Amino acid sequence: MLFKIDLNSDIGESFGAYKIGRDEEIVKYISSANIACGFHAGDPNVMAKTVNYCKENNVAVGAHPGFPDLLGFGRRNMDVSPEEVKNYLIYQIGALKAFAEAQGLKLQHVKAHGALYNMAMKNAKLAEAIVETIGLVDEDLICVGLGNSELEYQSNKKGIKYAIEFFADRNYNPDGTLVPRSAANAVIHDEDEACRRILKMVKEGKVVAVDGSEVDVKAKTICIHGDNPKAVDFASKLNKLFEENGIEIQPMKNLF
């Protein structure tokens, strides 16, 4: 049996003279890219260059919009109205959409960044604002997020394609949510353990939670954090692992 999965990475997070990640290398091993749109990271020159990296490596392009919090890298919660969120997203998605189309590419998906992503998993009004905006910009865009979340519910409700995302380096609670980063056991540092978890998720649709129970995770895409110093090596390792186990890497648009 041939299994298929998407590999995504958050890239294009450099800004001005500051370089973050090894974007030109990691694009060789992923199938979808979440490109920062200038609010939490990135700038026009970085956006254009990152889209070009994706074009050269046949990687699908997605927008990675966040809160307007450059100093906090978009990881700080903000008290914003649904209307403000809509405008933030239209501005950012629209910018990246233009960069993609300028190079003959079509935007594939939208994955919120940092605090915006985390808040949208539980906040119904925020999730609804994100999904409505995606529909307004392009109803063919795929929304990316966690399973069993408000964002998934709103996407299904409004007819927007939803790609459940799996985090190889994060521990899960029994209810399918991620263990908060503030907890000591939130992150998995052992690459071999991460690989075992990925294989189980792809082949069985399950992940072992922190209490030892098995949780259903029907993910279409796996996230590799591009700002991790070991990200490129881990992505390369995953490519080899998938080849050995009959798993084909495909952009998420091909998995619906």
Side-chain angles (χ1 to χ4, degrees):
M1 180 178 180
L2 179 65
F3 297 92
K4 296 180 180 181
I5 195 73
D6 174 64
L7 275 185
N8 80 72
S9 187
D10 305 341
I11 62 175
E13 295 180 326
S14 298
F15 180 81
Y18 299 94
K19 181 174 171 57
I20 300 176
R22 296 156 60 188
D23 297 348
E24 66 273 25
E25 296 177 60
I26 201 164
V27 290
K28 299 173 184 176
Y29 303 106
I30 62 174
S31 45
S32 295
N34 320 306
I35 301 177
C37 304
F39 269 30
H40 77 277
D43 64 32
N45 292 325
V46 172
M47 291 167 74
K49 186 183 298 183
T50 308
V51 169
N52 187 56
Y53 289 152
C54 292
K55 182 177 182 179
E56 290 176 343
N57 289 275
N58 296 314
V59 172
V61 172
H64 197 37
F67 284 133
D69 181 23
L70 198 59
L71 291 178
F73 199 66
R75 288 177 174 166
R76 298 182 290 194
N77 289 5
M78 294 183 70
D79 184 10
V80 295
S81 70
E83 190 63 29
E84 287 175 303
V85 170
K86 285 184 178 181
N87 291 331
Y88 293 159
L89 264 65
I90 289 172
Y91 187 98
Q92 294 177 82
I93 298 169
L96 189 69
K97 187 171 183 283
F99 276 113
E101 290 175 353
Q103 298 197 41
L105 301 179
K106 181 175 171 59
L107 211 60
Q108 173 190 248
H109 67 280
V110 174
K111 174 186 167 182
H113 166 81
L116 180 60
Y117 180 101
N118 293 330
M119 290 173 68
M121 298 307 140
K122 299 178 180 179
N123 187 313
K125 290 185 178 179
L126 193 57
E128 183 178 35
I130 291 173
V131 173
E132 284 184 352
T133 304
I134 291 173
L136 287 171
V137 175
D138 183 349
E139 60 184 12
D140 290 330
L141 287 171
I142 301 165
C143 183
V144 179
L146 295 176
N148 300 317
S149 65
E150 281 292 339
L151 196 61
E152 180 183 22
Y153 171 76
Q154 293 294 336
S155 295
N156 292 337
K157 179 181 176 182
K158 298 183 184 300
I160 297 296
K161 292 177 183 176
Y162 191 79
I164 294 175
E165 182 174 38
F166 180 73
F167 291 86
D169 62 348
R170 294 290 300 278
N171 263 316
Y172 280 72
N173 290 311
D175 63 355
T177 59
L178 294 175
V179 173
R181 282 191 178 273
S182 56
N185 61 344
V187 179
I188 297 169
H189 298 285
D190 186 336
E191 285 191 358
D192 291 334
E193 172 63 19
C195 287
R196 286 192 291 270
R197 292 166 70 83
I198 287 171
L199 286 179
K200 185 175 182 66
M201 189 282 296
V202 174
K203 292 187 173 183
E204 302 175 27
K206 297 181 181 296
V207 63
V208 178
V210 286
D211 66 349
S213 63
E214 289 192 341
V215 182
D216 289 334
V217 180
K218 309 296 185 185
K220 292 187 182 296
T221 184
I222 298 170
C223 177
I224 299 173
H225 288 109
D227 58 349
N228 186 321
K230 297 182 178 179
V232 174
D233 293 336
F234 184 55
S236 175
K237 185 175 183 176
L238 275 185
N239 275 245
K240 183 178 180 181
L241 180 74
F242 287 169
E243 185 177 350
E244 293 171 348
N245 286 271
I247 300 170
E248 190 174 292
I249 300 172
Q250 288 277 343
M252 60 185 80
K253 63 186 177 183
N254 293 346
L255 304 180
F256 286 88

